[in-house]
Amino acid sequence: MRVLHLPTNIASQISVTVRALRDVGVDARGILWGNAPTANAAGIATFGSCSRRRHSLRGLLLTLAWYRTLRNAMRWADVIHWHFGLCTLPFQADIRYAAKLEKPRIVEFWGSDVRDPPIASADNPYQRRFYEQCPPSVLDAITRSARKAQERFSRLGFACLISGPELKAYVDSRRFTGSYFVRQRMFLSEFEPQYADPNAPRPLVVHAPSHKGKKGTDCVLRVIEQLRRTHVFEFQLLHGVERSEALRIVRRCDVFLDQFVVGDHGLATLEAMAFGKPAVCYIKPSLVPEYPPDCPIVNANQDNLAQVVEGLLVDGQRRHEIGRRSRAYVEQHHDAHQIARQLIKIYEELIEKNRDRRHRGDR
């Protein structure tokens, strides 16, 4: 089986997935459009891009070269796995070519590509408050983009895949030739646990927002200032910090604070858990039943965050125990090799469905 992953390396998930598939015997390759960072780039080619407005000739030549590269790679593949609901070429030429080849194809949505503000706000007051700060024209544009993402891929015969429970509310699985779910994947050998010292005299609390507004950083900073009046601890805000340095600090922290707006966790929570840390994150009530019963994420919202963090600061043994359960959880549910085997079954099903469809003469 030859599997091609394209084109956006969200949270290094293309590079992680390709490596894991290759480890379990699949001939997997990834080609990335743009100057995307990769986490250990085995089997990954990065295709640089530039602004076609500012560098018209160079941009045109790069675009043509990218299209040629895509065509060759798609002809090579048995399965095309597209990450993120955006196209890289005008007139959707990239995914149209995949459809023209009639290859088994699947799009994996990752969040902001399909998150629809009205749906996201319906059961989440913190997300609603975040969107209320945006002009109506911006919100309308986000909604149109999210809906068009599904329309363009479903119309061209893609199956769809999601990796987080939150996305189920946004994706209309009836549109697609198949609908699947796997969890985010991690190479756990790269995250050596360092469990929190239950007797730490000054526990270290870390918050590492990629986007301060979407992570609820203002709330986090207010809570930290409030708790500093009554408790002894250290705090580090990691924003704009090089990834390897950020991971080094997370590995030695005692409490990790992730996001308090979206209502679901991302890779940052999982990385902290893989290091054996208690991770505090807002999981909105409607999603709690979607998680395995052994999920040890410490659930907190913007209204009770101070009390939740205080409980962890005063109970070192609890921090340590949650950290151990957190590592066990990601080993059980997010190991890249286990999920690679789940993906193989999905690919095999797509190949079989595609074979049947072509035999019937369907398009």
Side-chain angles (χ1 to χ4, degrees):
M1 186 188 296
R2 299 187 297 269
V3 181
L4 177 65
H5 288 256
L6 300 161
T8 309
N9 201 27
I10 301 293
S12 296
Q13 288 293 282
I14 285 184
S15 51
V16 168
T17 306
V18 166
R19 289 171 56 204
L21 287 168
R22 290 161 70 95
D23 284 350
V24 298
V26 174
D27 189 358
R29 302 178 188 176
I31 307 177
L32 311 181
W33 173 244
N35 303 303
T38 62
N40 191 321
I44 302 291
T46 300
F47 205 99
S49 64
C50 71
S51 169
R52 287 194 291 267
R53 252 181 216 173
R54 288 186 293 174
H55 307 282
S56 56
L57 179 58
R58 185 179 170 216
L60 176 62
L61 293 174
L62 271 173
T63 299
L64 292 174
W66 168 247
Y67 184 47
R68 185 168 57 248
T69 299
L70 275 184
R71 287 167 59 100
N72 291 336
M74 287 180 179
R75 285 198 293 264
W76 164 85
D78 296 315
V79 178
I80 297 166
H81 186 147
W82 193 276
H83 293 252
F84 208 71
L86 294 179
C87 298
T88 61
L89 291 172
F91 310 110
Q92 304 168 21
D94 40 19
I95 60 175
R96 286 180 182 275
Y97 188 72
K100 180 181 178 181
L101 291 174
E102 300 185 45
K103 298 285 183 82
R105 50 203 179 273
I106 188 166
V107 57
E108 184 165 5
F109 297 118
W110 282 103
S112 60
D113 48 349
V114 291
R115 187 173 292 116
D116 191 332
I119 298 174
S121 301
D123 63 350
N124 185 343
Y126 310 106
Q127 185 77 78
R128 183 165 60 249
R129 192 181 305 161
F130 172 80
Y131 283 135
E132 284 171 352
Q133 302 172 31
C134 301
S137 58
V138 172
L139 294 181
D140 289 344
I142 294 172
T143 294
R144 287 196 302 271
S145 176
R147 295 175 182 175
K148 284 181 179 178
Q150 294 188 60
E151 180 184 338
R152 68 172 65 98
F153 284 92
S154 61
R155 188 178 65 248
L156 291 172
F158 280 73
C160 73
L161 175 68
I162 57 173
S163 60
E166 183 218 3
L167 303 186
K168 291 180 182 179
Y170 313 126
V171 176
D172 183 357
S173 60
R174 297 168 299 178
R175 290 172 171 260
F176 296 90
T177 57
S179 180
Y180 304 91
F181 175 83
V182 298
R183 299 191 185 278
Q184 300 103 320
R185 32 272 189 208
M186 303 179 67
F187 269 101
L188 293 168
S189 59
E190 298 176 354
F191 294 85
E192 183 181 355
Q194 181 175 318
Y195 299 109
D197 178 2
N199 300 311
R202 296 176 61 89
L204 173 60
V205 180
V206 166
H207 177 55
S210 52
H211 185 293
K212 291 182 178 180
K214 293 179 180 178
K215 295 283 188 174
T217 299
D218 287 348
C219 172
V220 169
L221 295 179
R222 286 195 302 271
V223 165
I224 291 300
E225 289 307 308
Q226 175 184 334
L227 292 174
R228 274 178 168 157
R229 300 179 194 135
T230 53
H231 296 79
V232 177
F233 64 96
E234 296 180 41
F235 173 72
Q236 282 195 258
L237 176 67
L238 305 180
H239 183 68
V241 177
E242 201 272 328
R243 175 172 167 79
S244 60
E245 174 64 10
L247 289 177
R248 186 187 68 80
I249 295 171
V250 172
R251 184 172 181 268
R252 66 180 182 83
C253 80
D254 297 283
V255 177
F256 182 77
L257 308 181
D258 187 14
Q259 69 77 26
F260 304 96
V261 174
V262 173
D264 199 3
H265 75 75
L267 264 294
T269 287
L270 296 178
E271 288 172 347
M273 294 168 72
F275 281 133
K277 309 301 177 183
V280 186
C281 181
Y282 174 50
I283 309 295
K284 61 184 180 181
S286 61
L287 293 186
V288 171
E290 301 285 338
Y291 280 91
D294 60 336
C295 180
I297 293 173
V298 182
N299 199 348
N301 58 48
Q302 294 186 28
D303 297 312
N304 67 7
L305 182 59
Q307 294 93 327
V308 171
V309 175
E310 181 179 34
L312 291 170
L313 289 175
V314 301
D315 193 339
Q317 189 59 41
R318 180 166 174 252
R319 296 195 303 266
H320 182 84
E321 290 172 357
I322 293 174
R324 287 195 172 275
R325 288 195 284 120
S326 296
R327 174 68 188 199
Y329 177 84
V330 293
E331 288 177 353
Q332 177 69 26
H333 299 286
H334 292 277
D335 177 74
H337 293 111
Q338 291 182 23
I339 295 171
R341 294 184 182 94
Q342 296 172 21
L343 287 171
I344 290 171
K345 293 180 179 179
I346 292 172
Y347 299 150
E348 289 172 343
E349 183 174 322
L350 292 176
I351 290 171
E352 185 63 28
K353 283 183 175 180
N354 191 67
R355 184 182 296 119
D356 291 344
R357 189 163 51 246
R358 295 184 71 175
H359 181 71
R360 295 193 309 266
D362 297 345
R363 288 297 179 110

